[in-house]
Amino acid sequence: MLPGTQVQFPYMLLALLLPPCAAVFILLTLATGKKLGLKGAGIFSSVVLGISSLLLVRVLFLVIETGGAVYEHYYWFSIGNIMVEFSLLSDFLNLPLSLAIILLSTVSSVYSIEYISHKHDFELYYFNLLLFATGMLGVTLATNLIQFYVFFEGMNIPAYFLVSGWGTKKAKTIAMKYILYVVLGALCLLAGISWCYSLTNSFGIYDIPAKLPIYDQNVNLIRTIALTISIGFGVKMGMFPVHSWLPDFHGEAPVPIHALLSAVMIKTGAYGLVRITYFFFPQAVFDASFILAVLALITMWWGAGMALVQVDFKRVLAYSSVNQVGYILLGLSTGTTVGITGGLFHMLTHGLAKGVLLYCAGSLVYSAGTKYIPKLGGVARKMPITATVALIGALAIAGTPPLATFPSEFLIFAGTFQAGFMIIAILGVCSTALTAGYYLWTMKRMFFGPDSKELDTMYDRYIKGIEIPDEGIPRKFEDINESPTLMIVPMLIIAISVIVLGIFPSIVLQMIYPVAETLSNLIGGV
Amino acid sequence: MFPNLLLVLLIPALSSFILLLTLRNCPTFVAATISIAALVVSLFMLTLGVSDVLINGSLQETYRWIPNLAATEFGLYLDGLSFPITTISAFITLLLVIYSTKYMAARDNQGGYYGNLILLYVGTQGVFLATNLFQFYLFWELTLIPAYFLVLFWSETKELNVNVRNAALKFFLFTHIASLFLLIGIILVFTTTGTLNMLTLQTLHPSSSILDVVRIAMICMMIGFFVKIGIVPGHNWLPDTYVHAPLPITAMISAIMAKIGAYGIVRLTVLTFSDVIFSQSLIIAVIALISMIYGAIMALAQEDVKRFLAYSSISQSGYIVLGAASVSVIGLTGAAFHIVNHAIIKTVLFLCAGSYIQQIGSDKLNSYRGIVKKMPVTSGSILIASLSLSGIPPFNGFYSEVLIFAGAFTNLSIIVVAVPAVLSVALTFAYFLWLIYRIFVSKAQESVENIQEAPLSFTVPILLLTVLILLIGIWPNSILMFLNKWSESLALGGT
């Protein structure tokens, strides 16, 4: 049985199934030879994703009205006498993430209309984008382990093709690394799912916790299963020591896809960790909380350290994602209400802030023709809006008040102190200084200082055909203009939401807090 | 009562005799029309059984085979297990005939080719529909003769050289000797239990006094089945045969003929042997795991597309055996589901490979680099089929694999095998990824400049099966509702 109230109208089902139907439609138009073109495919997919977003906003109001969870019930198939359902459920734990996924997908879809205009096969790009969005959304709404796995594993394939087809030249090889990592991770999850089934005779995410054997009598068994499942999620969220695919893959992805990968895709791993590992095996999580916190700390420091030495702005952002995943994990590992609230909130705020920065990176590639930090300089004079927005994003990730990540980071560290991990908390706070350091330094080198001479040399080499860069078309410094409106507006919208959430964090916090309280009660923290 | 199950076998058998005896050299059009008509009728007769299977659970027709010997009653039996397998086999054979009209058009003896193909079909359907082990064995042996001739006289190399002769002989010897083991097993079952009726055997649990004989019978029959589906170490014949057989026949052998072995395993496990198999499940599971890993690693190393797919078949057979070794309802359902899924997927893969061979003129995987630009439909289908076989949702192969693994974890004695088995799916994914990478991501060579998409008689069968992969993937209940009917009636030993 699912918790919460049943909804009769299929809001969630429509939100989930509209994008893949649109994708199939795009493919059919392609098969019949009528090309939609960039504008056609772009606008069509943005509208469809927009409708999905509106449906989910409606679900948000329903959840707030009923004050807990809402679900839709659908029968899928049965094996012997075991029913497997395709029910969908939204509560305060998954709804913020679902909304972030669908909204950012919409934004990326709009943004791509300009950004990929100098590339090829636009229809296939949007086909993959829509399927990718469906995959991520399905993970958050799933109520059944098989259904969860279908989306969790299924989203990797469009992601692979998006990056290998529309990324940089290196992306073709790097995408192989990604797919092998995540598939192995997902198979660990599959092993865990099968194992859970053998103990409980059920695949339901909300049924299994009550049916699992008692922890104290089966410590080793339950720990093994919990570990197997967590490896699957750890790979997806880029946790140390299975993180190495993340910076490579993200760094070579096209910007709108990188935004989705960093901002929401890796959060589906974190969501799985909470929804499945935490709810299924709370005592095992409690026993492992110190190990988790140490792993989180290593992830934080490793990401921050590597980000400092990058010359490619997108790589800085990619390593920064590793760094920030460490924060989320640290918050979750504390087991305290405050810490978990912080971790869950950080999933959302980091997604937004990272989205802002990535769209700025895209704007730089599009208008200035490069993303290499040493080649840029003084660009703020030519692209004031991009520079301002990027600065907001950078300050946000560095945890500066009154921007959205400040409350989440504050809660994470408060929770860590409360859990008694003193040294880890202190070292964690120190790494925040490093974060601020690499971001401000990067901003200074790219946007301020004297006008860049490198851009002119790059332009000359490009004109003479000596060197053709991977992404973007080089321009002379004086020819740089602000990016087109279709790229600026999405950026601004998200930047504003970062500020609003920073000033009024309680909009989201009041929803997340009860969930965190339940979780910490389960785990046995404070 | 209308004898529709008898007609399933009789009409194709008659048309096959007509083709073989009187129309050996007729034009393609005549031979193909006769075959297609026979197969359509056969498929239609099968689908008539759908309501009986769904409502009553089964449909049975009985005829006396040898008078006064009740043990050799000729019965035809359609239940939730055989219904999906037979219908899919009939459908696939139909598509293979359509595919052959173009692929085999330039060859001699068109009537002989189609006649043998239909005879092979009759043999496999006879096995799937058999009610007693004697009949099972007769049809089992019947498949061997047309398959041997097809490999020998219509081989891919278009001439009867020593390689072809050796491959055909190896195929014949391996599978025939294995069949003899099967025969020994059947005789032992008969002497100990006094019956050959598979339905009676299903409810019979052997007493401890005859347990040793039953165990030997089980081992003999397993050897027969394992060689047929290419389980290591009985796999040796398989890659050579697959390479030398004409492509539609390779697909037929892989998708349908090998499945009689898999069907035998799934049926056998739930027969009187379930207790014995349950006590030996670890050994069987280890054998399955070895095949899974060996096949996948060998596939990684292949340069030739047909050999590549042959090793992939060896690997996939391991999954079916693993599901059966679990002796649990969910694992057996998964194994039966995988028989259907693998038949569909492998046919798509072979037919796509055939399109490439025909259009590009090479069977080397390296010559398919960047071919997606030139042949998008074929490449798209091979992508979906590869992902499905690698267990990537939401395609059909995923569901059967999940069920097999869930079953493997349910049986406590094979849990050690279950974890490496799940991880070995990554190997399957790896060899298919290598294929996908070459077709989709690599830069096209200049030699593929003038390649065209395959003709409609190639793409239509491929697309129909690809859509089936997707449909079963979205709605797995379409197959599972039949299998559930079957699994309801199971009485498994041990668990």
Side-chain angles (χ1 to χ4, degrees):
Chain A
M1 272 313 291
L2 297 172
T5 25
Q6 188 169 2
V7 201
Q8 295 306 329
F9 190 78
Y11 293 110
M12 284 181 269
L13 191 71
L14 279 178
L16 184 63
L17 293 188
L18 275 178
C21 290
V24 171
F25 177 76
I26 289 180
L27 201 64
L28 286 179
T29 58
L30 206 57
T32 52
K34 292 189 202 83
K35 288 200 167 184
L36 286 173
L38 173 62
K39 285 262 161 60
I43 293 172
F44 177 59
S45 107
S46 311
V47 168
V48 168
L49 287 168
I51 296 173
S52 283
S53 318
L54 288 180
L55 286 166
L56 277 186
V57 171
R58 172 76 187 121
V59 175
L60 175 69
F61 285 115
L62 283 176
V63 175
I64 292 172
E65 262 171 45
T66 57
V70 294
Y71 67 88
E72 290 164 18
H73 187 83
Y74 307 103
Y75 170 72
W76 195 14
F77 63 92
S78 49
I79 312 147
N81 49 10
I82 299 141
M83 284 242 278
V84 177
E85 292 169 357
F86 199 83
S87 303
L88 303 167
L89 182 137
S90 281
D91 61 8
F92 288 133
L93 178 56
N94 64 14
L95 202 54
L97 185 58
S98 320
L99 277 169
I101 287 169
I102 199 73
L103 287 171
L104 276 169
S105 301
T106 317
V107 169
S108 269
S109 169
V110 173
Y111 187 89
S112 300
I113 297 176
E114 286 290 346
Y115 186 79
I116 64 158
S117 56
H118 59 279
K119 299 215 167 162
H120 50 89
D121 294 330
F122 311 116
E123 294 86 358
L124 286 176
Y125 175 86
Y126 277 104
F127 171 77
N128 281 311
L129 179 69
L130 285 165
L131 289 185
F132 185 43
T134 315
M136 294 188 291
L137 189 61
V139 167
T140 57
L141 297 179
T143 59
N144 184 292
L145 284 176
I146 290 190
Q147 189 191 5
F148 184 91
Y149 187 83
V150 165
F151 292 108
F152 192 78
E153 169 92 312
M155 75 165 100
N156 296 332
I157 304 298
Y160 169 80
F161 280 111
L162 280 169
V163 174
S164 65
W166 290 270
T168 60
K169 282 174 204 144
K170 270 190 281 176
K172 292 184 174 179
T173 325
I174 277 171
M176 295 267 267
K177 179 179 178 184
Y178 157 77
I179 199 89
L180 286 175
Y181 257 93
V182 288
V183 163
L184 255 176
L187 288 173
C188 289
L189 174 63
L190 184 62
I193 290 175
S194 307
W195 215 331
C196 281
Y197 163 80
S198 74
L199 297 175
T200 59
N201 264 330
S202 167
F203 286 111
I205 291 179
Y206 299 90
D207 295 337
I208 289 181
K211 290 183 181 171
L212 278 170
I214 299 161
Y215 180 69
D216 297 329
Q217 292 159 9
N218 302 280
V219 177
N220 288 328
L221 177 68
I222 299 226
R223 278 185 187 171
T224 319
I225 302 177
L227 179 69
T228 319
I229 288 187
S230 308
I231 291 174
F233 298 132
V235 172
K236 194 106 197 185
M237 63 191 285
M239 182 168 88
F240 183 87
V242 281
H243 57 271
S244 92
W245 64 272
L246 194 150
D248 285 342
F249 186 66
H250 287 201
E252 306 306 322
V255 166
I257 304 307
H258 186 174
L260 288 182
L261 290 170
S262 286
V264 281
M265 188 266 225
I266 53 177
K267 309 299 189 316
T268 59
Y271 170 73
L273 191 73
V274 177
R275 178 66 90 192
I276 292 177
T277 315
Y278 273 54
F279 275 100
F280 285 16
F281 317 106
Q283 295 101 325
V285 171
F286 179 72
D287 290 350
S289 58
F290 186 71
I291 303 169
L292 267 178
V294 171
L295 282 179
L297 192 71
I298 299 174
T299 314
M300 280 158 84
W301 273 93
W302 188 83
M306 291 299 282
L308 261 178
V309 296
Q310 301 301 316
V311 287
D312 174 347
F313 184 42
K314 275 183 67 206
R315 286 249 164 182
V316 172
L317 298 178
Y319 280 103
S320 155
S321 292
V322 178
N323 165 253
Q324 298 293 314
V325 161
Y327 285 85
I328 297 173
L329 201 60
L330 182 64
L332 295 177
S333 72
T334 58
T336 60
T337 312
V338 176
I340 293 177
T341 313
L344 293 176
F345 191 37
H346 201 66
M347 276 164 63
L348 184 67
T349 54
H350 166 247
L352 293 175
K354 192 45 75 56
V356 167
L357 277 169
L358 273 160
Y359 293 130
C360 292
S363 166
L364 280 174
V365 173
Y366 187 88
S367 300
T370 187
K371 54 186 180 169
Y372 288 96
I373 302 165
K375 304 209 164 166
L376 293 160
V379 182
R381 283 187 287 283
K382 294 285 182 185
M383 302 170 69
I385 307 177
T386 306
T388 319
V389 175
L391 204 59
I392 293 175
L395 288 173
I397 292 201
T400 322
L403 299 169
T405 36
F406 169 69
S408 56
E409 284 182 19
F410 173 76
L411 288 171
I412 289 172
F413 290 121
T416 318
F417 276 113
Q418 200 182 3
F421 303 151
M422 291 299 166
I423 298 170
I424 289 177
I426 292 166
L427 287 173
V429 175
C430 292
S431 95
T432 308
L434 206 58
T435 311
Y438 70 75
Y439 267 119
L440 291 176
W441 191 43
T442 306
M443 289 298 136
K444 174 181 162 283
R445 285 190 294 166
M446 289 200 307
F447 290 114
F448 307 106
D451 294 359
S452 164
K453 298 279 179 292
E454 295 270 348
L455 283 175
D456 296 350
T457 20
M458 249 179 90
Y459 178 74
D460 284 345
R461 289 167 72 82
Y462 172 70
I463 290 295
K464 287 175 189 152
I466 303 169
E467 191 188 350
I468 296 158
D470 254 3
E471 271 189 294
I473 300 153
R475 264 166 230 242
K476 282 186 179 174
F477 185 81
E478 58 260 35
D479 294 344
I480 296 177
N481 287 315
E482 189 56 87
S483 297
T485 329
L486 268 183
M487 291 169 75
I488 294 292
V489 172
M491 248 191 290
L492 281 176
I493 293 173
I494 305 183
I496 290 168
S497 71
V498 170
I499 300 172
V500 171
L501 274 184
I503 300 173
F504 306 106
S506 59
I507 305 172
V508 179
L509 280 180
Q510 64 181 1
M511 301 179 194
I512 295 178
Y513 188 81
V515 180
E517 211 169 14
T518 323
L519 267 171
S520 72
N521 284 339
L522 265 179
I523 296 170
V526 189
Chain B
M1 200 177 78
F2 188 66
N4 53 351
L5 290 183
L6 190 65
L7 290 179
V8 167
L9 300 177
L10 216 52
I11 288 175
L14 280 178
S15 58
S16 154
F17 291 144
I18 292 170
L19 283 170
L20 284 175
L21 297 177
T22 64
L23 293 170
R24 262 201 310 274
N25 293 314
C26 69
T28 313
F29 175 73
V30 177
T33 315
I34 294 176
S35 322
I36 290 173
L39 287 169
V40 168
V41 173
S42 180
L43 180 61
F44 178 70
M45 290 297 158
L46 274 173
T47 47
L48 284 184
V50 64
S51 59
D52 285 291
V53 172
L54 276 184
I55 296 164
N56 308 328
S58 66
L59 173 65
Q60 195 173 1
E61 291 170 13
T62 318
Y63 310 93
R64 247 332 126 76
W65 182 248
I66 301 171
N68 306 326
L69 191 56
T72 61
E73 244 176 17
F74 181 82
L76 296 169
Y77 180 69
L78 193 66
D79 69 352
L81 174 62
S82 45
F83 181 79
I85 299 178
T86 46
T87 14
I88 293 290
S89 303
F91 185 59
I92 288 176
T93 315
L94 184 62
L95 297 179
L96 287 177
V97 169
I98 296 171
Y99 193 88
S100 298
T101 54
K102 201 92 179 185
Y103 195 87
M104 302 298 289
R107 314 299 289 273
D108 303 337
N109 282 341
Q110 289 288 318
Y113 171 78
Y114 288 104
N116 275 312
L117 198 156
I118 301 294
L119 198 58
L120 180 55
Y121 166 79
V122 174
T124 51
Q125 294 293 51
V127 173
F128 293 142
L129 294 173
T131 48
N132 70 55
L133 288 172
F134 181 63
Q135 190 190 342
F136 186 96
Y137 182 75
L138 276 183
F139 281 109
W140 175 282
E141 282 293 78
L142 176 62
T143 59
L144 200 53
I145 299 152
Y148 173 71
F149 284 132
L150 283 167
V151 176
L152 194 63
F153 294 134
W154 284 273
S155 74
E156 195 82 337
T157 44
K158 300 190 175 119
E159 57 175 28
L160 193 59
N161 62 19
V162 67
N163 287 338
V164 176
R165 244 181 242 143
N166 285 351
L169 190 64
K170 199 175 182 183
F171 166 58
F172 190 84
L173 284 181
F174 258 87
T175 44
H176 188 62
I177 292 172
S179 307
L180 293 180
F181 275 101
L182 176 64
L183 185 61
I184 298 171
I186 291 174
I187 293 169
L188 283 177
V189 169
F190 184 62
T191 49
T192 46
T193 61
T195 177
L196 281 176
N197 191 310
M198 292 163 86
L199 298 174
T200 322
L201 283 169
Q202 196 163 329
T203 51
L204 201 82
H205 286 285
S207 58
S208 54
S209 57
I210 57 165
L211 209 58
D212 285 336
V213 188
V214 169
R215 189 170 293 135
I216 294 168
M218 189 273 286
I219 291 169
C220 287
M221 289 175 84
M222 275 293 184
I223 290 175
F225 296 141
F226 280 0
V227 173
K228 198 78 172 182
I229 60 174
I231 287 288
V232 179
H235 67 284
N236 198 300
W237 62 275
L238 196 145
D240 286 339
T241 312
Y242 280 24
V243 168
H244 289 292
L247 193 123
I249 300 306
T250 316
M252 180 98 183
I253 294 177
S254 161
I256 303 171
M257 189 184 159
K259 294 297 174 287
I260 60 178
Y263 174 79
I265 293 172
V266 174
R267 273 272 186 233
L268 174 88
T269 315
V270 301
L271 294 187
T272 184
F273 296 127
S274 62
D275 300 282
V276 186
I277 291 185
F278 191 77
S279 63
Q280 305 297 331
S281 54
L282 182 61
I283 298 171
I284 300 174
V286 169
I287 292 173
L289 182 68
I290 291 172
S291 284
M292 283 157 81
I293 293 175
Y294 173 83
I297 289 175
M298 289 300 283
L300 264 175
Q302 300 306 314
E303 281 301 315
D304 172 327
V305 64
K306 287 171 87 182
R307 223 170 254 280
F308 169 80
L309 293 176
Y311 280 107
S312 154
S313 283
I314 294 176
S315 170
Q316 292 299 314
S317 300
Y319 290 93
I320 298 175
V321 175
L322 180 68
S326 74
V327 203
S328 59
V329 170
I330 190 165
L332 278 168
T333 311
F337 199 5
H338 205 62
I339 292 176
V340 175
N341 289 341
H342 183 246
I344 300 172
I345 298 166
K346 249 312 142 44
T347 313
V348 174
L349 288 171
F350 270 117
L351 296 190
C352 289
S355 301
Y356 286 146
I357 293 173
Q358 191 83 351
Q359 301 301 104
I360 303 170
S362 162
D363 58 2
K364 293 282 171 282
L365 290 170
N366 272 335
S367 58
Y368 303 160
R369 285 177 195 278
I371 198 68
V372 60
K373 291 263 167 21
K374 303 287 172 190
M375 302 172 69
V377 178
T378 311
S379 306
S381 305
I382 211 170
L383 170 72
I384 291 183
S386 313
L387 293 178
S388 181
L389 206 56
S390 326
I392 305 282
F395 306 113
N396 61 357
F398 161 70
Y399 299 95
S400 44
E401 282 175 21
V402 168
L403 300 191
I404 289 171
F405 295 139
F409 275 99
T410 311
N411 186 338
L412 286 180
S413 55
I414 63 171
I415 216 160
V416 244
V417 177
V419 177
V422 176
L423 295 183
S424 82
V425 177
L427 282 174
T428 308
F429 184 73
Y431 65 75
F432 275 122
L433 181 65
W434 193 208
L435 176 74
I436 293 169
Y437 182 81
R438 286 191 260 208
I439 293 176
F440 282 83
V441 185
S442 286
K443 259 217 155 62
Q445 290 168 329
E446 281 167 17
S447 57
V448 300
E449 203 64 4
N450 301 317
I451 307 282
Q452 302 271 311
E453 180 57 272
L456 278 183
S457 63
F458 285 13
T459 46
V460 169
I462 292 175
L463 275 181
L464 282 176
L465 289 173
T466 311
V467 169
L468 205 57
I469 291 180
L470 263 173
L471 284 184
I472 299 179
I474 294 166
W475 190 45
N477 223 17
S478 53
I479 303 291
L480 279 172
M481 62 186 177
F482 295 108
L483 296 177
N484 288 338
K485 274 284 163 201
W486 164 67
S487 65
E488 271 172 16
S489 63
L490 296 186
L492 294 178
T495 39

